[in-house]
Amino acid sequence: MDDKDVSHRQILPKALVHKDGFDDVFLTSFAVRGPRESVLGATLPRSHRFYCEVPVGSRVRDLATLVEICRQACFVVAHEQFDVPLGGAADAKFLMRELSGRFEDTGPFDTDQPVNVAVDCVVEQVSRRAGRVSALEWAFTVRVGEVIVGRARMAQTLMSRAVWGQMRDRLRTERGVPARMGAVTPPGPGDVAPAEVGRVNPDNVVITAVRAVDGGYAALVHVDLRHPVLFDHPADYIFAMVQLEAARQLSLVAASRRLAVPATRLELSSVTAEYLAVAEFDLPTVLRARFVEAAGEPHPRLAVTAEQQGRRVSVFELTVRPAV
């Protein structure tokens, strides 16, 4: 495939991918290839405070990194190809509805050199309301040269910041919390060791109170709004990627105990997620995980739900396997 329009010389502007920190921008180029087709360049982080904590020796491939690259691509494609407003009074708010991702061939990751990828994007659905883009659905193919290393799909709803603000006031009032979230006290240390969830830095552990229940496991989301990657800009709700990380960590705990393999030697190989409601930061979030038994399935598959006030806010299905 001719990738002459893919470059890895510099990162894209951080505002374009909705990031506040340059070190969290992984995309390096963007080019339109058709009315709904485009290609982006990206470089996988060799060392990162969240996505690649162990820079040498015992790195485990991280599907969440590919998902994050594709999530950043959503914004670029929306703003650059579909004229979704960026900044100002018309600035658009993106809300994740669905996402999925899976590894294909991970062989090209077995190197100590920087890994540059090309991300082929097809926008499969565009919805408009009153002349404004109101929803987009993307399909991504992530390649290293000709080798397909992963695939992802995402669907998001878009709205104006004014509409979002009105919706937030109503939702929070209905849920019995103040319309505007006040100052939040940092949660303090949890009771899950980083190694139990395949982490090194305790600040990157986002679950606590793990317990065995009804043949599965339960836990509480335990996250700090000061986290520089997960909350790189102000928020009063739990972002989709934070919920994904919490589900991943609980799945690693469960799979580690079932396989008797350290979580640091396990990796997430596939995930599907559906986001059903806004997850309030100042309400307890309960995670429940159970194993899904499928004939011929060689690796543990888990269904995870996130609940607040007895209401499901998101559901996940994740496959965990030993890292090669």
Side-chain angles (χ1 to χ4, degrees):
M1 182 174 293
D2 185 359
D3 284 332
K4 65 178 182 298
D5 49 359
V6 176
S7 171
H8 300 97
R9 291 192 297 270
Q10 61 185 17
I11 61 173
L12 293 182
K14 61 182 183 178
L16 192 58
V17 297
H18 295 202
K19 285 293 183 182
D20 283 349
F22 288 110
D23 53 348
D24 296 325
V25 179
F26 303 141
L27 295 177
T28 57
S29 65
F30 169 75
V32 174
R33 284 187 167 172
R36 293 193 179 188
E37 294 80 38
S38 60
V39 64
L40 302 99
T43 300
L44 272 60
R46 299 179 71 191
S47 177
H48 190 270
R49 55 192 168 186
F50 185 77
Y51 288 105
C52 186
E53 291 180 298
V54 184
V56 294
S58 59
R59 284 177 295 179
V60 173
R61 294 178 291 270
D62 188 357
L63 180 62
T65 306
L66 293 192
V67 172
E68 172 63 14
I69 286 171
C70 294
R71 190 187 72 88
Q72 292 184 15
C74 289
F75 301 129
V76 177
V77 172
H79 294 309
E80 295 288 276
Q81 194 168 5
F82 290 89
D83 298 321
V84 172
L86 173 62
D91 190 26
K93 173 66 180 177
F94 290 67
L95 287 177
M96 189 73 73
R97 298 197 320 271
E98 299 175 4
L99 71 77
S100 65
R102 71 177 187 271
F103 276 142
E104 298 287 351
D105 184 345
T106 58
F109 297 151
D110 295 331
T111 175
D112 291 328
Q113 301 303 310
V115 177
N116 294 324
V117 302
V119 183
D120 298 313
C121 174
V122 177
V123 174
E124 297 186 331
Q125 183 68 39
V126 183
S127 300
R128 299 180 186 272
R129 181 176 298 171
R132 181 183 178 123
V133 175
S134 59
L136 288 165
E137 297 182 14
W138 300 260
F140 300 101
T141 301
V142 184
R143 295 180 288 107
V144 177
E146 298 291 331
V147 179
I148 296 174
V149 296
R151 299 183 191 274
R153 302 175 66 87
M154 295 182 188
Q156 298 199 53
T157 297
L158 286 68
M159 65 185 71
S160 70
R161 294 283 173 171
V163 171
W164 167 246
Q166 294 168 2
M167 187 182 81
R168 290 298 291 129
D169 290 352
R170 176 176 55 81
L171 286 177
R172 287 182 60 82
T173 300
E174 289 174 353
R175 293 167 183 175
V177 293
R180 294 286 189 273
M181 189 176 74
V184 177
T185 302
D191 61 1
V192 174
E196 293 183 81
V197 294
R199 286 292 184 179
V200 175
N201 184 350
D203 291 339
N204 290 335
V205 178
V206 298
I207 61 173
T208 193
V210 175
R211 60 197 185 280
V213 292
D214 302 325
Y217 292 87
L220 296 175
V221 173
H222 180 85
V223 65
D224 193 331
L225 269 175
R226 301 172 302 172
H227 195 288
V229 178
L230 297 177
F231 295 101
D232 70 330
H233 49 276
D236 69 347
Y237 68 101
I238 306 175
F239 293 154
M241 292 298 284
V242 181
Q243 296 178 57
L244 171 58
E245 177 63 16
R248 185 181 80 97
Q249 291 187 10
L250 184 57
S251 296
L252 286 174
V253 171
S256 174
R257 294 181 183 181
R258 167 171 280 203
L259 299 174
V261 173
T264 52
R265 299 309 307 157
L266 297 173
E267 65 185 13
L268 183 66
S269 60
S270 70
V271 61
T272 62
E274 185 177 1
Y275 298 92
L276 308 173
V278 176
E280 304 292 351
F281 188 86
D282 46 356
L283 289 176
T285 305
V286 179
L287 296 174
R288 304 184 192 280
R290 60 178 178 83
F291 288 97
V292 179
E293 308 297 345
E297 179 64 56
H299 305 298
R301 180 172 297 184
L302 296 103
V304 178
T305 63
E307 301 173 1
Q308 290 187 332
Q309 297 177 322
R311 176 191 71 251
R312 291 194 304 173
V313 297
S314 55
V315 295
F316 303 84
E317 190 165 287
L318 311 97
T319 304
V320 177
R321 68 187 182 190
V324 178

